[in-house]
Amino acid sequence: MVNKPTRPTDPLIGNDSWNIQLDSNGRLKHFLTIEGLGSEILTNILDTAESFANVNQQRVKKVPLLRGKTIVNLFFEASTRTRTTFELAAKRLSADILNINISTSATSKGESLLDTLQNLQAMLCDMFIVRHCDSGAAHFIAGNVAPHISVINAGDGRHAHPTQAMLDMFTIRRNKGRDFGRLRVAIVGDLLHSRVARSQIHALNILNTGDVRVIAPKTLIPTDIEDMGVTVFNDLEAGIKDADVIIMLRLQKERMQGAFLPSEHEYYSQYGLTEESLRAARDDVIVMHPGPINRGVEIESRVADGEHSVILDQVTYGISVRMAIMSMVLGREPEHNETEAN
Ligand code: NCD
């Protein structure tokens, strides 16, 4: 049996239910947060995604691993990339997938979340993929579903977005190799509200990244972020100096109450990644962004579309990484011959 790591209560979701994602054998039952996972699980996800990347290059982009399984995309918040790549991933694994449109579902008639879940359970589903504006929502759902159902967190409030972090690690590994120890990674932007950044920092730490930096105005940096082992910079060029990887973040205006910034224009002049500021990084730096990007707010178009950008590769890799995570939580990891060319 694999020992489960222990850690104190999660400050954002206020309980220690983070560890409900592992079964008694230390295998993934749900995928809710990167926190508390070991490097073997993360590396296993990345290696499994690598075999699915081959499937995604084949003429018939499909394997029968999840045939007969029913998966529900339950998105209570807007999404383009995440929802559609989960749907494609499910289809390429031969599962049946339903997309529940919350704005037209009975939730808008006052049905509680638990009643909605019980009705979906009664339809004999195997997995819920959940995005919700409340931190802790995916943990709550995982703690309240029938034992045979797995839950994947597709983003909860400003808490976690673990599948995004894993596709980002996959993108870094594909471009920079397996040794994260020699990498300098700079994360720039709205760290305070970003669930993506929190999950990325946990993943980078677990994979032993040499130097992780965060760069933002003081108002957009959580006060306790140094406890996560990162170095804080308030100056863009100092922070991205000699970086191998730069990850840009969107300003999460929907999560801001009150004035965090003087103006978008001023933010761009200090923290926008332009061709000029990018010169401070290494010549072979890669520029990443989880999307949606706001051109002229956090990133210049010439950088977003330029030679260092891997932003659209992240989207493509998201399919393979989500295929890996979905097959692992349902206990159907591919044998070698299951991902061979058709
Ligand atoms: C992110 C999200 O929803 O957290 N986007 C994504 O999933 N690709 C980042 C964002 O909204 O800025």
Side-chain angles (χ1 to χ4, degrees):
M1 182 178 132
V2 177
N3 284 337
K4 289 181 192 174
T6 52
R7 59 166 298 284
T9 298
D10 185 311
L12 266 189
I13 64 172
N15 61 30
D16 67 353
S17 60
W18 60 277
N19 60 12
I20 65 171
Q21 63 186 342
L22 299 179
D23 68 15
S24 57
N25 295 314
R27 291 170 63 97
L28 280 177
K29 156 82 179 135
H30 307 287
F31 193 60
L32 306 174
T33 178
I34 301 285
E35 226 173 337
L37 297 179
S39 62
E40 322 77 53
I41 289 188
L42 266 51
T43 305
N44 194 4
I45 291 172
L46 299 177
D47 292 343
T48 308
E50 207 61 69
S51 67
F52 286 126
N54 297 333
V55 172
N56 285 321
Q57 296 296 324
Q58 291 168 17
R59 194 174 47 84
V60 179
K61 301 180 185 58
K62 234 176 161 78
V63 285
L65 277 173
L66 296 190
R67 193 162 51 197
K69 299 287 184 191
T70 305
I71 298 175
V72 181
N73 254 343
L74 204 51
F75 278 58
F76 295 84
E77 229 190 30
S79 173
T80 307
R81 279 150 292 272
T82 306
R83 195 192 61 72
T84 48
T85 52
F86 264 117
E87 182 172 350
L88 274 178
K91 288 181 168 159
R92 291 185 187 176
L93 290 166
S94 307
D96 296 314
I97 178 147
L98 310 175
N99 289 298
I100 307 281
N101 185 347
I102 300 300
S103 59
T104 56
S105 78
T107 324
S108 63
K109 297 184 187 169
E111 185 174 71
S112 77
L113 176 58
L114 283 179
D115 284 330
T116 306
L117 289 176
Q118 274 174 12
N119 280 271
L120 292 169
Q121 258 170 219
M123 299 173 203
L124 307 178
C125 299
D126 301 286
M127 180 189 285
F128 294 150
I129 297 162
V130 182
R131 169 170 286 195
H132 200 284
C133 59
D134 290 339
S135 298
H139 284 75
F140 172 78
I141 291 173
N144 284 281
V145 287
H148 71 277
I149 294 185
S150 289
V151 176
I152 295 185
N153 184 2
D156 63 324
R158 58 192 186 91
H159 172 241
H161 194 347
T163 62
Q164 177 71 43
M166 289 314 298
L167 76 88
D168 295 332
M169 297 307 113
F170 188 80
T171 307
I172 295 174
R173 200 173 86 162
R174 275 245 159 154
N175 284 279
K176 298 287 170 195
R178 288 173 167 258
D179 182 7
F180 280 65
R182 54 175 196 83
L183 296 182
R184 173 172 290 175
V185 179
I187 308 176
V188 187
D190 185 357
L191 275 297
L192 185 65
H193 302 100
S194 176
R195 55 194 176 203
V196 172
R198 281 175 51 85
S199 289
Q200 286 168 338
I201 293 169
H202 286 302
L204 289 165
N205 285 340
I206 293 166
L207 295 172
N208 283 320
T209 308
D211 183 4
V212 184
R213 299 152 161 232
V214 297
I215 302 141
K218 287 195 175 75
T219 47
L220 293 181
I221 301 260
T223 47
D224 56 354
I225 199 157
E226 273 158 326
D227 298 347
M228 295 177 84
V230 299
T231 319
V232 176
F233 289 82
N234 301 122
D235 179 82
L236 177 66
E237 288 186 24
I240 64 173
K241 187 166 171 13
D242 294 331
D244 301 284
V245 177
I246 301 176
I247 303 174
M248 300 305 294
L249 302 171
R250 182 178 67 88
L251 293 175
Q252 308 268 307
K253 281 188 265 175
E254 70 278 23
R255 293 186 224 288
M256 293 185 194
Q257 280 137 13
F260 284 88
L261 294 167
S263 72
E264 276 182 6
H265 181 73
E266 197 167 323
Y267 178 80
Y268 184 63
S269 71
Q270 287 189 46
Y271 295 97
L273 190 66
T274 60
E275 277 193 327
E276 201 190 333
S277 50
L278 191 57
R279 286 198 200 107
R282 284 177 56 99
D283 290 344
D284 61 352
V285 65
I286 56 168
V287 175
M288 299 171 53
H289 193 309
I293 62 172
N294 287 144
R295 294 166 187 265
V297 178
E298 70 267 0
I299 192 164
E300 184 182 41
S301 273
R302 282 188 297 182
V303 175
D305 305 326
E307 54 172 334
H308 296 281
S309 171
V310 293
I311 295 173
L312 293 178
D313 294 334
Q314 289 173 261
V315 179
T316 308
Y317 296 153
I319 302 170
S320 307
V321 171
R322 292 186 167 116
M323 288 171 81
I325 294 165
M326 291 162 105
S327 59
M328 285 169 72
V329 298
L330 289 181
R332 288 289 291 117
E333 285 163 62
E335 303 292 333
H336 177 63
N337 61 5
E338 288 179 293
T339 54
E340 273 175 0
N342 284 285

